[in-house]
């Protein structure tokens, strides 16, 4: 259909040119006007035809003068271009049809293609000159030229504009990976822009890879991003299919496990023997594995139990039943870098994950410690909470960094609960501020992020008719309640706000369910029937949920489908659970620290192991089968003269013999 319309248009164009040529041949023209004179005359003729009748009658009286003016204008137009004013050159450009600089570039492109065409067809033209040539009409030449101009105009790229490289790069940085790949196929210039290292470096930073790196750290950030995404997909597949290595972190001399904490690659555990053990899962043979107590309490016998354990990337903290608190460095280990004692037993211990800020609570007395710039520990503040009606101790405490202090510095903020009241304590405050209190409604769990605090509230009496137990979310900046979610008949036993995705909250309940809420709408995202003895710990990211129960079961769930991927079971409740991209640490801690009928002595290390508790480390990374990911005790070669190998998985050391070869 389109070809028929083009042929009809060409035929109509030829007829019009034939009629105009016949009318032009009937005219007696003695002088051949120049190109500029003909254009100017045609301009005045068209101008006269478009004027109205009154204007024509008015100008008929001054026809002689107009002819003189026309001749004067023609004579001025014939002057050299260098002597012409600027407005005359602009007028000539308008008459010639040059309305923009782009047309000049198009004309240059046409000339170049014509020359290329004539050079390629010169051999064919020389052979055809010997044949009798047909007389070509001038109208046919114009039609062919017009058709050629149409074809050449379609070949000109639409993006024929030269932008500065920095400006084009600024535009391309808003494109996604798929869009950059499509733009790279447009032209060579766009391909150079789409392959720029700055674009792919920013894309790596946006997607969360290689934080703190610079552009010069990698020769090809596009390949780096591809490798990171492939590794992430492999790790996710290993998570779903439970592919990886599982290690049990044990310390037989520690007797019964009391408390466990982990952060990134560090895992620290405290035992009833008073020993504290630190593992670095990236460097299993680290010298900081055994943490010695302070020399002031090393000679005390029997040694008190370890009541609380906390660790971050810089320090590890242990609190004992007698009120002593020891602080070690994760780099050096061995001797503690700080030691102090609180009257009475430590009921709550909190450590900031971002900085070495330590908060301890014994009864209603709260203490906040932090090292200065030179590394000397100082007590920032000490406070005593008002005595509650029924409770006489702090039950839970969280340290969060808060950028609301004086001078714009990051000031630590402590959120703690005692009975039915939640307090906020900062170093600049004279006394703790009350965040939440409702008579007869105790706080069952507490967690906080940098901007919000979430607390589980147990409803009693008439409040059970108002939807049951709830989770209240407060803003730490304003101190006001933002929303209330939950409405459950059971008590909320754990809540995780710090490690959850943005605008998400995950919690566990004694009614055996794990719930995920969207804080933007206050609605429930998913509700899973998880553990028949209640949920004790939970954590979630953007696609999965990991929960632990009182029966010792660890479950991994797919959030979108709500399906259980896999589960692992150990004796004792799961009291600690924490995971990152490729690792998972779980701790089954017994409730009974001195089990009845158990006789755990130094002479019988293997007795009643089921009462000790267990720490499991799961590694789902790609290189989980390498030799570095096997525990040192599992890499024994029978050369060591001391030690024991009770219930451990050896890496078949007897197959690694000196001088052995496959050909022998």
């Amino acid at each position: 259909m389109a070809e028929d319309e083009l042929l009809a248009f060409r035929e109509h164009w030829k007829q019009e040119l034939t009629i105009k040529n016949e009318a032009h041949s009937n005219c007696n023209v003695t002088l051949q006007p120049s190109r500029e004179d003909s254009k100017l005359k045609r301009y005045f003729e068209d101008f006269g035809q478009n004027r109205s009748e009154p204007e024509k009658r008015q100008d008929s009286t001054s026809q002689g003068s107009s002819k003189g003016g026309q001749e004067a204008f023609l004579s001025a137009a014939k002057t050299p271009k260098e002597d012409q004013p600027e407005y005359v050159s602009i007028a000539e450009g308008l008459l010639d049809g040059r309305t923009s600089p782009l047309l000049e570039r198009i004309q240059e492109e046409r000339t170049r293609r014509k020359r290329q065409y004539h050079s390629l067809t010169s051999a064919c033209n020389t052979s055809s000159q010997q044949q009798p040539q047909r007389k070509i009409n001038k109208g046919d030449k114009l039609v062919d030229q017009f058709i050629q101009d149409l074809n050449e105009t379609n070949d000109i790229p639409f993006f024929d504009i030269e932008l500065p490289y920095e400006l084009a790069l600024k535009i391309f940085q808003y494109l996604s990976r798929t869009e950059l790949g499509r733009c790279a196929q447009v032209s060579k210039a766009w391909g150079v822009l789409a392959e720029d290292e700055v674009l792919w470096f920013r894309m790596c930073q946006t997607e969360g890879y290689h934080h703190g790196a610079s552009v010069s750290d990698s020769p090809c950030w596009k390949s780096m991003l591809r490798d990171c995404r492939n590794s992430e997909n492999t790790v996710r597949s290993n998570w779903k299919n439970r592919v990886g290595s599982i290690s049990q972190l044990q310390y037989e001399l520690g007797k019964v496990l009391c408390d466990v904490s982990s952060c990134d690659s560090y895992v620290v555990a405290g035992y009833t023997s008073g020993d504290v053990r630190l593992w670095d899962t990236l460097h299993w043979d680290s010298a900081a594995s055994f943490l010695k107590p302070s020399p002031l309490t090393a000679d005390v016998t029997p040694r008190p139990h370890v009541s609380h354990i906390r660790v971050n990337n810089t320090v590890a903290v242990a609190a004992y039943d007698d009120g002593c608190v020891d602080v070690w460095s994760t780099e050096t280990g061995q001797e503690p870098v700080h030691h102090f004692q609180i009257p009475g037993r430590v009921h709550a211990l909190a450590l900031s994950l971002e900085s070495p800020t330590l908060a301890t609570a014994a009864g209603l007395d709260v203490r906040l410690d932090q090292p200065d710039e030179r590394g000397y520990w100082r007590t920032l503040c000490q406070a005593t909470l008002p005595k509650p009606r029924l409770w006489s101790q702090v039950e839970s405490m969280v340290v969060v960094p808060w950028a609301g202090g004086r001078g714009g510095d990051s000031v630590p903020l402590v959120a703690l609960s005692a009975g039915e009241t939640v307090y906020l304590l900062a170093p600049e405050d004279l006394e703790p501020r009350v965040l939440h209190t409702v008579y007869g409604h105790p706080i069952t769990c507490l967690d906080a992020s940098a901007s919000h605090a979430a607390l589980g509230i147990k409803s009693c009496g008439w409040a059970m008719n108002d939807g049951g137990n709830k989770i209240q979310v407060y803003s730490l900046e304003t101190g006001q309640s933002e929303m209330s979610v939950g409405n459950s008949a059971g008590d909320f036993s754990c809540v995780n706000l710090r490690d959850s995705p943005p605008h998400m909250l995950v919690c566990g309940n004694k009614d055996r369910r794990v719930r995920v809420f969207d804080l933007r709408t206050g609605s429930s995202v998913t509700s899973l029937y998880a553990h028949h003895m209640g949920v004790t710990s939970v954590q979630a990211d953007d696609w999965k949920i990991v929960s632990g129960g009182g029966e010792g079961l660890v479950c991994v769930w797919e959030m979108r489908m709500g399906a259980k991927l896999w589960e692992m079971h150990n004796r004792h409740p799961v009291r600690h659970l924490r995971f990152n991209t490729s690792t998972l640490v779980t701790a089954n801690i017994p409730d009974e620290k001195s089990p009845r009928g158990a006789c755990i002595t130094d002479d019988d290390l293997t007795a009643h192991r089921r009462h000790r508790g267990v720490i499991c480390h799961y590694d789902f990374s790609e290189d989980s089968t390498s030799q570095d990911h096997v525990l040192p005790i599992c890499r024994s070669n029978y050369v060591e003269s001391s030690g024991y190998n009770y219930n451990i998985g050896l890496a078949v050391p007897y197959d690694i013999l000196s001088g052995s070869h496959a050909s022998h």
Side-chain angles (χ1 to χ4, degrees):
M1 189 64 182
E3 295 179 356
D4 297 339
E5 293 179 357
L6 181 59
L7 293 175
F9 172 73
R10 290 176 176 175
E11 294 296 333
H12 181 67
W13 182 260
K14 289 181 179 180
Q15 293 177 4
E16 289 184 356
L17 291 178
T18 303
I19 295 173
K20 289 184 179 180
N21 290 333
E22 292 177 356
H24 182 69
S25 63
N26 294 332
C27 299
N28 296 325
V29 182
T30 59
L31 298 177
Q32 185 69 20
S34 63
R35 181 171 177 267
E36 295 180 356
D37 296 342
S38 62
K39 289 182 178 180
L40 290 174
K41 289 180 180 180
R42 184 170 67 253
Y43 171 76
F44 285 111
E45 289 175 2
D46 296 339
F47 179 74
Q49 292 177 3
N50 296 331
R51 298 179 67 181
S52 60
E53 293 297 332
E55 293 177 351
K56 290 181 180 180
R57 288 194 300 269
Q58 181 178 358
D59 293 342
S60 62
T61 58
S62 58
Q63 185 176 5
S65 61
S66 63
K67 291 180 179 180
Q70 182 178 353
E71 293 175 358
F73 189 83
L74 290 174
S75 62
K78 294 179 181 180
T79 59
K81 292 184 178 181
E82 59 270 7
D83 298 336
Q84 292 177 358
E86 185 178 0
Y87 65 87
V88 176
S89 62
I90 294 176
E92 289 182 357
L94 293 175
L95 292 175
D96 291 339
R98 299 195 304 268
T99 58
S100 66
L102 184 60
L103 296 179
E104 296 181 0
R105 300 184 62 185
I106 294 176
Q107 185 65 27
E108 294 177 0
E109 183 69 18
R110 291 174 181 172
T111 305
R112 185 186 64 81
R113 295 188 181 185
K114 288 178 183 178
R115 292 176 181 175
Q116 184 180 4
Y117 173 77
H118 289 307
S119 63
L120 293 175
T121 57
S122 60
C124 298
N125 292 336
T126 55
S127 61
S128 62
Q129 286 179 357
Q130 299 177 358
Q131 299 179 0
Q133 297 182 357
R134 181 178 59 86
K135 186 176 181 180
I136 302 175
N137 191 8
K138 188 176 181 181
D140 296 338
K141 289 184 178 180
L142 293 175
V143 172
D144 295 337
Q145 181 66 32
F146 176 72
I147 295 173
Q148 185 179 3
D149 292 344
L150 289 177
N151 294 333
E152 290 179 355
T153 304
N154 293 332
D155 294 337
I156 299 296
F158 73 96
F159 195 63
D160 197 9
I161 301 175
E162 292 185 0
L163 291 176
Y165 188 83
E166 292 77 8
L167 182 58
L169 197 65
K170 186 71 174 178
I171 297 173
F172 272 54
Q173 73 177 3
Y174 295 100
L175 302 180
S176 61
R177 296 188 309 275
T178 305
E179 293 169 345
L180 281 177
R182 294 172 180 173
C183 291
Q185 303 175 10
V186 173
S187 62
K188 291 183 179 179
W190 283 35
V192 172
L193 282 171
E195 296 291 338
D196 192 277
E197 294 298 327
V198 176
L199 292 177
W200 295 100
F201 170 72
R202 291 178 178 175
M203 194 168 294
C204 283
Q205 297 286 320
T206 303
E207 296 192 9
Y209 304 119
H210 300 286
H211 286 295
S214 60
V215 183
S216 60
D217 291 344
S218 175
C220 183
W221 282 102
K222 182 179 180 180
S223 301
M224 186 70 69
L225 178 61
R226 181 176 60 250
D227 296 341
C228 291
R229 291 188 61 85
N230 292 337
S231 177
E232 181 181 1
N233 294 333
T234 302
V235 171
R236 177 174 294 191
S237 177
N238 293 343
W239 266 98
K240 293 182 178 181
N241 299 308
R242 199 172 60 179
V243 176
S245 63
I246 304 177
S247 304
Q248 290 189 0
L249 310 182
Q250 300 178 4
Y251 181 56
E252 299 293 342
L253 297 176
K255 299 185 179 180
V256 180
L257 186 64
C258 292
D259 195 12
V260 176
S261 178
S262 64
C263 179
D264 293 340
S265 62
Y266 294 105
V267 181
V268 62
Y271 297 88
T272 56
S273 61
D275 296 326
V276 179
R277 176 70 186 269
L278 175 67
W279 290 274
D280 186 355
T281 57
L282 293 181
H283 309 89
W284 291 103
D285 298 328
S286 175
S289 298
F290 298 95
L291 304 181
K292 298 180 181 179
S294 174
L296 300 177
T297 59
D299 298 334
V300 178
T301 55
R303 296 182 58 187
H305 297 181
V306 178
S307 58
H308 297 87
I309 284 287
R310 295 293 181 270
V311 67
N312 60 13
N313 290 324
T314 56
V315 297
V317 185
Y320 300 89
D321 286 343
D322 60 352
C324 293
V325 178
D326 290 335
V327 181
W328 296 270
S329 173
T330 55
E331 296 181 358
T332 60
Q334 302 299 321
E335 300 294 335
V337 297
H338 183 52
H339 170 82
F340 63 93
Q341 187 169 4
I342 297 177
R345 186 176 183 271
V346 178
H347 295 95
L349 181 69
L351 180 66
S352 176
L353 296 179
E354 295 81 10
S355 62
T357 303
L358 175 63
T360 55
L364 298 177
D365 297 328
V366 183
R367 174 173 173 172
L368 189 62
D369 296 88
Q370 188 180 38
D372 55 12
E373 298 178 354
R374 297 179 297 175
Y376 295 101
W377 284 77
R378 298 288 185 267
T379 301
L380 298 181
C381 67
Q382 291 182 343
T384 301
L385 303 180
K387 186 176 181 180
R389 299 176 180 84
L390 300 177
W391 293 267
S392 60
Q393 65 184 29
V394 176
E395 298 176 349
S396 57
M397 185 166 49
V398 180
V399 178
V400 294
W402 190 44
R406 301 171 182 173
D409 298 332
S410 180
V411 177
L413 180 69
V414 180
L416 47 96
S417 65
E420 57 197 21
T421 308
V422 177
Y423 300 93
L424 295 179
L425 178 62
E428 66 270 12
D429 296 337
L430 298 178
E431 58 182 11
R433 293 178 289 128
V434 177
L435 180 66
H436 168 86
T437 180
V438 176
Y439 178 75
H441 294 68
I443 306 300
T444 57
C445 56
L446 174 66
D447 194 22
S449 63
S451 58
H452 293 82
L455 45 123
I457 304 174
K458 180 179 180 179
S459 300
C460 301
W462 55 270
M464 291 297 296
N465 300 326
D466 192 20
N469 303 317
K470 302 177 183 295
I471 289 183
Q472 203 81 16
V473 180
Y474 281 84
S475 173
L476 296 179
E477 182 177 1
T478 61
Q480 301 295 325
S481 175
E482 293 190 352
M483 67 177 57
S484 178
V485 296
N487 299 333
S488 172
D491 298 341
F492 286 98
S493 54
C494 56
V495 59
N496 195 320
L497 181 63
R498 180 199 296 266
D499 302 322
S500 299
H503 311 293
M504 301 289 285
L505 181 146
V506 58
C507 58
N509 200 292
K510 290 185 178 180
D511 63 356
R512 311 173 184 179
R513 286 192 172 272
V514 174
R515 295 176 174 86
V516 180
F517 296 96
D518 189 347
L519 298 181
R520 292 168 295 186
T521 60
S523 60
S524 176
V525 176
T526 182
S527 178
L528 307 173
Y529 185 86
H531 305 276
H532 66 275
M533 293 185 65
V535 184
T536 55
S537 56
V538 66
Q539 185 180 345
D541 60 4
D542 56 347
W543 69 273
K544 65 178 177 293
I545 306 171
V546 182
S547 61
E551 72 283 355
L553 198 65
V554 176
C555 301
V556 180
W557 309 81
E558 208 275 335
M559 185 182 299
R560 185 176 62 89
M561 300 297 295
K564 182 186 293 186
L565 300 177
W566 51 272
E567 63 182 22
M568 292 289 291
H569 180 267
N570 283 292
R571 191 183 180 93
H572 308 299
V574 181
R575 299 299 181 185
H576 176 78
L577 184 151
R578 188 175 181 85
F579 68 84
N580 54 21
T581 304
S582 59
T583 61
L584 169 65
V585 177
T586 62
N588 297 75
I589 302 175
D591 294 331
E592 186 66 33
K593 306 304 178 184
S594 299
R596 290 173 295 179
C599 181
I600 305 175
T601 62
D602 295 339
D603 297 333
D604 188 10
L605 299 176
T606 63
H608 301 281
R609 188 182 178 189
R610 61 181 180 272
H611 300 292
R612 298 179 182 273
V614 63
I615 305 173
C616 294
H617 177 268
Y618 304 81
D619 191 352
F620 303 99
S621 59
E622 295 178 288
D623 56 349
S624 59
T625 58
S626 64
Q627 188 72 7
D628 294 338
H629 283 258
V630 182
L631 291 176
I633 195 172
C634 299
R635 299 200 299 264
S636 174
N637 55 5
Y638 290 114
V639 177
E640 299 177 359
S641 59
S642 61
Y644 57 93
N645 57 358
Y646 168 72
N647 196 11
I648 58 176
L650 296 176
V652 287
Y654 40 82
D655 291 342
I656 307 176
L657 303 177
S658 60
S660 61
H661 194 268
S663 61
H664 291 172

